[in-house]
Amino acid sequence: MSWFVRKDKGIQTPTEMKREAPDGLWYQCPNCKKAMQTREHKLNAYTCIHCNYHEKIGSEAYFALLFDDNEFTELDADMRSGDPLKFVDTKPYPVRIKSTIEKTGLKDAVRTAYGSMNGLTVTMAVMDFNFIGGSMGSVVGEKIARAIDHAIANKTPFLMISRSGGARMMEAGFSLMQMAKTSAKLALLDKARLPYISLLTDPTTGGVTASYAMLGDFNIAEPNALIGFAGPRVIRETIGKDLPKGFQSAEFVLEHGFLDFIVDRKDLKDKVVSLFKMLVL
């Protein structure tokens, strides 16, 4: 005879006795679907401990990961977009900007700052995809240009971390002008013999790829990042051919010579500082 007999089917617990886990305690990887503690995920540089999937993160997380003790001085923190074209789609452009600011807590799609990385002072610009798809408008171009000016004036290396869907349609030609402006500023940085490293993250596309994202002394990327100029459908219709599988992945781009190497986010800080020190010497 069994030593344990369940008289009632199911486990019946009064509602007031049930306890739920606090929100945000666990993180489920979107790639392998396995769970881990949110704290463990954060300590692992926001990468999965099971499959090494690199979660998409923004400027706040990158600043915390790269600047020593998360101490930095932000540049042009209050710069906001104007409405030069009086653009209206489903809503006026100023209304879209205002609602995005309220939703994300960001002023635009890039933040710039300077601070110490392993004891080396670095000027950095980091894009935020949450702000209108990380689109490049006048503010993005101006803030990057001013960050480069700061690097030149203070003789610091410059790090650009890109994550963008491309140019911002609400600013049309004003947005496209930022490609030339940022490229010209990077030429001045090169003339000053100061190193520039460009990190491409998932996704980096459009006019950003066609300008400053691919102009680094070293162009590096995170694993499995989507990197390209136009979408697969546009390219297929343009060349009239089927495209190779994964042709816009960081690994494919590296294999075909458009990247110098792929770096795991957990190693990013040490590798970037090592490269900067090598280039400065």
Side-chain angles (χ1 to χ4, degrees):
M1 180 178 178
S2 173
W3 63 272
F4 175 80
V5 177
R6 186 188 297 276
K7 294 182 178 180
D8 297 322
K9 292 184 178 181
I11 299 175
Q12 299 173 352
T13 305
T15 302
E16 62 273 11
M17 296 295 291
K18 293 180 180 179
R19 294 185 180 182
E20 296 183 359
D23 289 338
L25 186 62
W26 294 94
Y27 168 84
Q28 184 181 38
C29 174
N31 183 53
C32 69
K33 308 303 180 185
K34 294 183 179 179
M36 68 205 81
Q37 288 185 337
T38 300
R39 179 176 176 274
E40 189 175 20
H41 181 243
K42 182 178 179 180
L43 291 174
N44 208 44
Y46 301 94
T47 62
C48 179
I49 62 173
H50 304 291
C51 69
N52 202 38
Y53 172 79
H54 282 51
E55 178 64 56
K56 296 177 178 64
I57 59 176
S59 57
E60 182 180 2
Y62 276 114
F63 286 163
L65 288 170
L66 297 175
F67 284 125
D68 296 340
D69 302 318
N70 197 21
E71 294 182 359
F72 58 89
T73 302
E74 189 166 357
L75 301 168
D76 305 301
D78 295 320
M79 191 182 295
R80 301 189 185 192
S81 292
D83 186 20
L85 302 178
K86 308 301 179 186
F87 189 93
V88 179
D89 45 31
T90 56
K91 62 178 73 171
Y93 185 39
V95 175
R96 185 176 299 280
I97 289 290
K98 183 180 179 182
S99 63
T100 307
I101 290 173
E102 292 173 350
K103 180 180 178 181
T104 64
L106 302 165
K107 299 297 192 300
D108 212 279
V110 72
R111 291 174 67 200
T112 55
Y114 66 92
S116 177
M117 289 175 58
N118 288 348
L120 177 69
T121 301
V122 173
T123 303
M124 187 188 312
V126 184
M127 301 192 75
D128 282 287
F129 195 81
N130 287 339
F131 197 99
I132 315 182
S135 51
M136 176 182 61
S138 300
V139 168
V140 169
E142 182 65 17
K143 289 184 74 171
I144 293 173
R146 292 190 185 190
I148 296 170
D149 285 340
H150 178 274
I152 294 172
N154 293 275
K155 293 181 169 49
T156 71
F158 181 60
L159 171 65
M160 181 75 225
I161 300 180
S162 299
R163 171 172 284 125
S164 174
R168 187 172 299 175
M169 69 174 187
M170 299 85 164
E171 297 185 26
F174 288 95
S175 175
L176 297 179
M177 290 176 190
Q178 310 312 310
M179 298 169 63
K181 179 165 71 177
T182 53
S183 298
K185 288 292 185 180
L186 288 171
L188 295 177
L189 188 75
D190 180 65
K191 188 175 181 179
R193 303 182 67 82
L194 293 168
Y196 167 45
I197 293 176
S198 175
L199 172 67
L200 292 80
T201 67
D202 185 27
T204 301
T205 61
V208 171
T209 306
S211 55
Y212 54 82
M214 282 292 189
L215 293 176
D217 296 312
F218 281 96
N219 296 322
I220 64 179
E222 291 184 340
N224 298 308
L226 187 152
I227 299 168
F229 177 66
R233 179 183 58 81
V234 174
I235 298 173
R236 187 184 304 109
E237 292 178 357
T238 301
I239 66 176
K241 295 181 180 179
D242 289 331
L243 301 165
K245 184 178 180 180
F247 80 105
Q248 288 183 320
S249 68
E251 289 72 15
F252 186 93
V253 175
L254 173 67
E255 184 180 344
H256 289 77
F258 288 92
L259 287 176
D260 292 295
F261 59 87
I262 294 172
V263 58
D264 191 294
R265 192 182 293 154
K266 296 182 287 295
D267 304 322
L268 180 61
K269 183 174 182 178
D270 290 338
K271 288 199 174 184
V272 165
V273 171
S274 296
L275 287 174
F276 276 145
K277 289 182 176 179
M278 180 179 71
L279 291 170
V280 169
L281 295 174

